[in-house]
């Protein structure tokens, strides 16, 4: 069953459920009402401004996480003693509920874009770092021996073996990281912001405008999907030779 057909069935079931149970529009509005509200939202410049703010914060936080995650993953993947020393601290930093840090970020960095970018970067960093670390260590000793037998220097070994072997892991981390980055941004805007789609969620909630609230959630989903597909498109461009790419292409053919 294709995705559009699944969505049509989902919205039909949603509409039937609301009608049969006689639910209030304040609790669960009908899909038609939500899409009418969505149409009003997308025709106002105010909504696009908030969407642009959320996109900028998410992409900025993701870019920081990508640079830091790749650097940390490469270092920890190569230096075993450093990985063993820092592992407890890194895990401890990740198990702390990030929502609890938002008030601190607001105190330190204010209600502007900085606190949201840092929150997005913190959530996206860990999966990218872990995947890169795994990729660095996945290079087989036999392949390194082959490079040595060919008298390859360090740069040639990195360029022709380690870099290409690690790229699929980098993109695996990026696909998870971009999703977590937008979650971090929305949480930051939700708890301490005056702009962005997370702020729109709070505003529509305070106004008890359930259709608009659902419409903003749909906008958030669309934005998240677009960012994910951008990362996925980059993966198809940079590693078309990897099984995760060409096997999907053969399936769709």
């Amino acid at each position: 069953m294709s995705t559009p057909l699944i969505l049509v069935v989902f919205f039909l079931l949603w509409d039937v459920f609301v009608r049969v149970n006689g639910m209030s529009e304040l609790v669960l509005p009908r899909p038609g009402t939500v899409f009418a509200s969505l149409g009003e939202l997308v025709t106002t410049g105010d909504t696009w401004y908030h969407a642009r703010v959320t996109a900028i914060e998410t992409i900025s936080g993701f870019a920081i996480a990508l640079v830091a995650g790749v650097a940390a993953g490469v270092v920890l993947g190569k230096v075993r003693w450093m990985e063993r020393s820092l592992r407890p601290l890194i895990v401890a930093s990740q198990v702390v509920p990030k929502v609890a840090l938002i008030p601190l970020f607001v105190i330190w960095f204010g209600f502007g874009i900085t606190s949201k970018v840092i929150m997005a970067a913190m959530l996206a960093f860990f999966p990218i770092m872990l995947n890169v670390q795994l990729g660095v260590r996945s290079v087989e000793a036999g392949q390194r021996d082959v490079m040595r037998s060919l008298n390859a220097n360090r740069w040639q070994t990195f360029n022709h073996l380690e870099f290409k072997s690690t790229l699929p892991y980098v993109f695996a981390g990026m696909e998870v990281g971009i999703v977590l980055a937008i979650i971090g941004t929305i949480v930051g805007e939700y708890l301490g912001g005056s702009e962005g789609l997370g702020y729109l969620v709070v505003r529509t909630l305070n106004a008890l405008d359930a259709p608009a609230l659902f419409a903003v959630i749909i906008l958030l989903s669309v934005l998240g999907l677009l960012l994910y597909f951008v990362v996925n498109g980059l993966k198809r461009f940079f590693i078309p030779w990897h099984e995760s790419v060409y096997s999907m292409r053969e399936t769709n053919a």
Side-chain angles (χ1 to χ4, degrees):
M1 187 181 290
S2 63
T3 303
L5 186 57
I6 292 174
L7 288 175
V8 170
V9 172
F10 171 75
F11 286 120
L12 284 175
L13 291 175
W14 176 357
D15 191 72
V16 170
F17 179 80
V18 173
R19 288 174 183 270
V20 170
N21 291 281
M23 300 187 74
S24 167
E25 289 281 320
L26 290 174
V27 178
L28 184 61
R30 291 171 52 196
T33 312
V34 172
F35 283 115
S37 184
L38 180 62
E40 294 176 6
L41 278 177
V42 297
T43 53
T44 61
D46 184 53
T47 303
W48 291 110
Y49 167 75
H50 289 292
R52 188 167 63 251
V53 169
T54 299
I56 291 172
E57 291 170 345
T58 302
I59 294 171
S60 301
F62 176 72
I64 293 171
L66 179 60
V67 173
V70 170
V74 170
V75 172
L76 296 180
K78 284 183 170 293
V79 187
R80 299 282 180 144
W81 66 266
M82 186 178 290
E83 192 271 339
R84 285 194 295 269
S85 303
L86 294 179
R87 186 195 305 163
L89 298 176
I90 294 174
V91 174
S93 69
Q94 294 303 309
V95 298
V96 173
K98 302 301 182 296
V99 176
L101 299 177
I102 286 290
L104 287 177
F105 290 164
V106 170
I107 293 172
W108 293 338
F109 306 110
F111 289 93
I113 186 175
T114 307
S115 56
K116 288 78 178 178
V117 170
I118 292 176
M119 177 59 69
M122 285 186 67
L123 286 186
F125 167 78
F126 196 57
I128 295 174
M129 187 271 292
L130 277 183
N131 276 280
V132 173
Q133 184 182 337
L134 180 63
V136 170
R137 292 183 178 174
S138 68
V139 180
E140 297 178 3
Q143 294 174 316
R144 293 184 189 278
D145 292 338
V146 171
M147 295 302 290
R148 288 194 196 96
S149 68
L150 295 173
N151 293 321
N153 56 33
R154 279 194 172 186
W155 167 249
Q156 290 171 324
T157 302
F158 171 77
N159 189 36
H160 295 290
L161 176 61
E162 296 176 338
F163 179 69
K164 290 185 177 178
S165 298
T166 307
L167 264 184
Y169 294 88
V170 174
F171 279 102
M174 287 171 64
E175 287 180 327
V176 179
I178 191 65
V179 175
L180 294 178
I182 194 167
I183 292 173
T185 301
I186 297 304
V187 170
E189 292 173 348
Y190 189 86
L191 296 175
S194 57
E195 54 188 3
L197 292 178
Y199 165 73
L200 276 189
V201 170
V202 178
R203 198 171 74 180
T204 53
L205 180 63
N206 291 338
L208 296 178
D209 190 347
L213 176 59
F214 276 81
V216 175
I217 292 172
I218 290 175
L219 284 178
L220 281 171
S221 302
V222 172
L223 177 61
L225 275 174
L226 286 175
L227 293 175
Y228 174 82
F229 284 129
V230 167
V231 173
N232 189 262
L234 290 174
K235 183 177 79 170
R236 291 168 182 264
F237 178 76
F238 281 102
I239 54 170
W241 42 267
H242 193 255
E243 184 181 2
S244 63
V245 176
Y246 71 73
S247 62
M248 184 65 71
R249 192 180 301 140
E250 290 175 355
T251 303
N252 294 331

XYZ file of all heavy atoms in Angstrom, residues 34 99 143 156 176 236 251:
57
model
N -9.052 20.682 10.585
C -7.597 20.864 10.732
C -6.985 21.385 9.431
O -6.181 22.323 9.436
C -6.929 19.530 11.135
C -5.406 19.666 11.090
C -7.383 19.107 12.519
N 15.415 18.349 28.843
C 14.398 19.356 29.165
C 14.783 20.109 30.437
O 14.542 21.310 30.560
C 13.023 18.682 29.332
C 11.981 19.690 29.765
C 12.601 18.028 28.025
N 42.220 -5.279 5.430
C 42.227 -4.192 4.453
C 43.400 -3.235 4.700
O 44.012 -2.728 3.761
C 40.896 -3.428 4.535
C 39.702 -4.270 4.095
C 38.377 -3.560 4.317
O 38.161 -2.958 5.365
N 37.498 -3.652 3.349
N 46.968 8.322 2.024
C 46.346 7.427 1.045
C 45.471 6.378 1.727
O 44.396 6.035 1.233
C 47.450 6.747 0.209
C 48.168 7.693 -0.754
C 49.388 7.063 -1.392
O 50.086 6.284 -0.737
N 49.663 7.409 -2.643
N 19.692 9.954 11.940
C 19.114 9.987 13.287
C 19.277 11.377 13.896
O 18.367 11.918 14.540
C 19.783 8.933 14.193
C 19.200 8.985 15.603
C 19.623 7.537 13.607
N 22.478 9.469 -0.853
C 22.386 8.851 -2.186
C 23.421 9.439 -3.138
O 23.879 8.761 -4.055
C 20.980 9.050 -2.755
C 19.917 8.262 -2.008
C 18.522 8.725 -2.419
N 17.512 8.014 -1.681
C 16.890 6.927 -2.137
N 17.199 6.458 -3.322
N 15.971 6.327 -1.401
N 14.843 -1.949 -5.146
C 13.507 -2.261 -4.625
C 12.450 -1.383 -5.268
O 11.352 -1.830 -5.601
C 13.485 -2.077 -3.100
O 14.490 -2.897 -2.513
C 12.125 -2.448 -2.534
